[in-house]
Amino acid sequence: MAATGFSDLRDKLKSMTPHREETYKEKKVDGTNGSGKVRKRKFRESDEDEVVEYSDDTRESREQEARRVKIDIVQKGLFSLEECALIEDKIDEVVAIGEAGQYREHTVDRAPLRNKYFFGEGYTYGAQLEKRGPGQERLYRKGEVDDIPAWVDELVIKRLVSDGIIPEGYVNSAVINDYQPGGCIVSHVDPLHIFARPIVSVSFFSDSALSFGCRFQFKPIRVSEPVLVLPVTRGSVTVLSGYAADEITHCIRPQDIKERRAVIILRKTRPDAPRLDVDRTLSSLPPERPIPLKAKRSRRRADPDAAHRPRVLEMDKEENQRPSHSHHRRHSSSSSENYWRRGQEYDKHKESSERRKVKMRRH
């Protein structure tokens, strides 16, 4: 290919079919596909993204939806670089404590390229649910996750209160999401029956983006074009409420986590939020099937003369175990048993001798 002057196969194909390029340019200017109907336009964020076709009407509706999302989002750069560095050191301490296994059972939730740390309140979600779907999430029982660290209250929550972003005493749930490069969180809406609004998040370590209205596909992971991509910078606060929090999903795409990133999510649980109950959880499980009993098999070889031996009944065993029986009786019973065995041996010996005599006569 280098000898022909082309460094890319696509350039060579374009030179072989120049009429297609001209036709495409004419249609782009004309805005129709030749039949008088509105042509579908192709939008592509990058060469690696999947091409998604939208008509002009669909594009307009998506732009309107993006405007509705923006109305209910508040963003503010709040923490300085020095404050970010101090908070990030505290996040590293949380990670170290989690690696040492010093937190309670449900405080740490691990996933590929993402670790989640629940404080104050934690809840079941995703694959942890017995019945999947919105509205099935449940808070953990009280005391099953660790309390909110003092540094979160001192360095983060009090700062948000002093700036008028949240009222004092609002937060009773703090979650730290620690993402590695390429990590993600699928499209979701924070459970309406669990958390009140607004939802507050603070970003650290690096810049990223929050995407709205995406659809995830797995194996391999693919994400559809979002309705809105919201840039999120290090040290900034993002507040979601209204349409942005309740009526459209939000996610973090793998391509938007280029470096390590951590986010502290601050929320308030509803007073009537359902919790996991021990009795209800156990009763909802399917009944265990009884294990079939297998017959025990003896490894001893079968004795052909066992059927001719006298059977020892249970009542005879009990009588033999009684201390009132004399030694003489036990001796007599054992002697009778020995006498029976000697008789059996004598019969066998007699039978074998008769066989030998028959063989001798044949010769």
Side-chain angles (χ1 to χ4, degrees):
M1 292 176 63
T4 58
F6 295 104
S7 59
D8 194 331
L9 181 60
R10 289 173 291 183
D11 296 335
K12 183 176 181 179
L13 292 174
K14 287 180 182 179
S15 66
M16 296 172 62
T17 56
H19 58 282
R20 292 188 178 182
E21 185 71 19
E22 294 174 1
T23 305
Y24 178 77
K25 290 180 180 179
E26 290 175 0
K27 287 186 177 182
K28 189 174 181 181
V29 175
D30 182 54
T32 64
N33 58 5
S35 60
K37 297 181 181 180
V38 178
R39 185 186 61 81
K40 292 183 179 180
R41 299 179 182 175
K42 295 184 178 181
F43 303 98
R44 183 197 296 259
E45 288 190 10
S46 66
D47 291 339
E48 297 179 356
D49 293 337
E50 182 181 358
V51 176
V52 182
E53 295 186 357
Y54 297 111
S55 65
D56 290 343
D57 294 338
T58 304
R59 181 186 173 110
E60 181 63 26
S61 64
R62 289 171 65 85
E63 290 176 352
Q64 290 178 1
E65 189 173 20
R67 287 193 290 268
R68 293 184 66 183
V69 174
K70 287 181 179 180
I71 292 173
D72 292 328
I73 296 176
V74 175
Q75 273 192 312
K76 184 177 182 180
L78 191 62
F79 295 91
S80 65
L81 295 179
E82 292 77 11
E83 291 172 327
C84 286
L86 178 59
I87 294 172
E88 288 162 3
D89 289 340
K90 296 295 184 181
I91 295 174
D92 286 336
E93 292 179 6
V94 169
V95 174
I97 295 173
E99 292 292 336
Q102 298 178 9
Y103 284 128
R104 296 173 188 172
E105 179 183 0
H106 295 298
T107 297
V108 185
D109 177 43
R110 303 185 188 280
L113 302 179
R114 192 269 298 154
N115 288 340
K116 186 184 288 284
Y117 302 88
F118 289 108
F119 295 107
E121 294 283 4
Y123 66 101
T124 60
Y125 66 98
Q128 303 168 351
L129 302 175
E130 293 180 7
K131 296 180 180 179
R132 300 205 181 176
Q136 301 297 328
E137 298 87 354
R138 295 291 183 270
L139 288 173
Y140 286 119
R141 290 174 287 271
K142 284 286 188 180
E144 290 194 346
V145 301
D146 287 79
D147 296 331
I148 297 176
W151 66 265
V152 174
D153 185 59
E154 290 293 330
L155 301 179
V156 182
I157 296 177
K158 286 186 177 180
R159 180 66 181 277
L160 297 176
V161 172
S162 64
D163 279 52
I165 296 175
I166 54 175
E168 188 172 358
Y170 176 78
V171 176
N172 68 344
S173 171
V175 178
I176 300 177
N177 286 340
D178 186 16
Y179 298 94
Q180 298 302 318
C184 67
I185 186 167
V186 298
S187 298
H188 67 283
V189 172
D190 289 37
L192 292 165
H193 63 293
I194 298 289
F195 297 109
R197 270 46 177 168
I199 300 166
V200 183
S201 61
V202 190
S203 297
F204 297 100
F205 286 107
S206 66
D207 299 342
S208 183
L210 191 63
S211 298
F212 293 83
C214 293
R215 291 189 304 275
F216 266 72
Q217 293 180 352
F218 297 93
K219 296 182 181 180
I221 292 180
R222 291 183 179 180
V223 186
S224 65
E225 183 183 358
V227 171
L228 173 68
V229 178
L230 181 72
V232 179
T233 58
R234 179 189 178 196
S236 66
V237 179
T238 304
V239 183
L240 303 182
S241 61
Y243 190 90
D246 302 342
E247 304 297 332
I248 189 170
T249 60
H250 59 272
C251 70
I252 297 176
R253 302 177 299 174
Q255 58 264 42
D256 294 327
I257 304 291
K258 297 179 175 60
E259 302 176 42
R260 182 192 176 190
R261 184 213 179 203
V263 56
I264 302 177
I265 305 172
L266 305 169
R267 293 175 289 201
K268 179 181 178 63
T269 58
R270 295 184 181 275
D272 57 347
R275 290 186 181 274
L276 287 176
D277 183 73
V278 179
D279 298 333
R280 188 179 306 171
T281 304
L282 293 177
S283 62
S284 62
L285 295 176
E288 294 184 0
R289 298 178 62 182
I291 301 174
L293 297 177
K294 295 183 179 180
K296 294 183 178 179
R297 296 182 178 180
S298 176
R299 296 183 179 179
R300 294 181 297 177
R301 295 180 179 179
D303 190 353
D305 298 328
H308 303 287
R309 293 180 183 176
R311 297 177 61 187
V312 180
L313 301 178
E314 294 295 331
M315 57 186 300
D316 297 334
K317 292 181 180 179
E318 292 178 0
E319 290 182 359
N320 294 334
Q321 292 176 359
R322 290 179 184 175
S324 60
H325 289 280
S326 63
H327 175 74
H328 177 72
R329 284 188 178 182
R330 289 198 300 270
H331 179 73
S332 62
S333 62
S334 61
S335 61
S336 61
E337 181 73 11
N338 293 334
Y339 176 78
W340 177 82
R341 289 180 180 173
R342 286 196 215 102
Q344 291 288 327
E345 293 175 358
Y346 175 77
D347 292 340
K348 291 181 180 178
H349 178 71
K350 185 178 181 180
E351 183 180 356
S352 61
S353 62
E354 289 178 356
R355 289 178 182 174
R356 290 174 185 170
K357 290 179 182 179
V358 171
K359 291 181 180 179
M360 292 291 288
R361 288 171 186 172
R362 287 178 182 176
H363 289 288

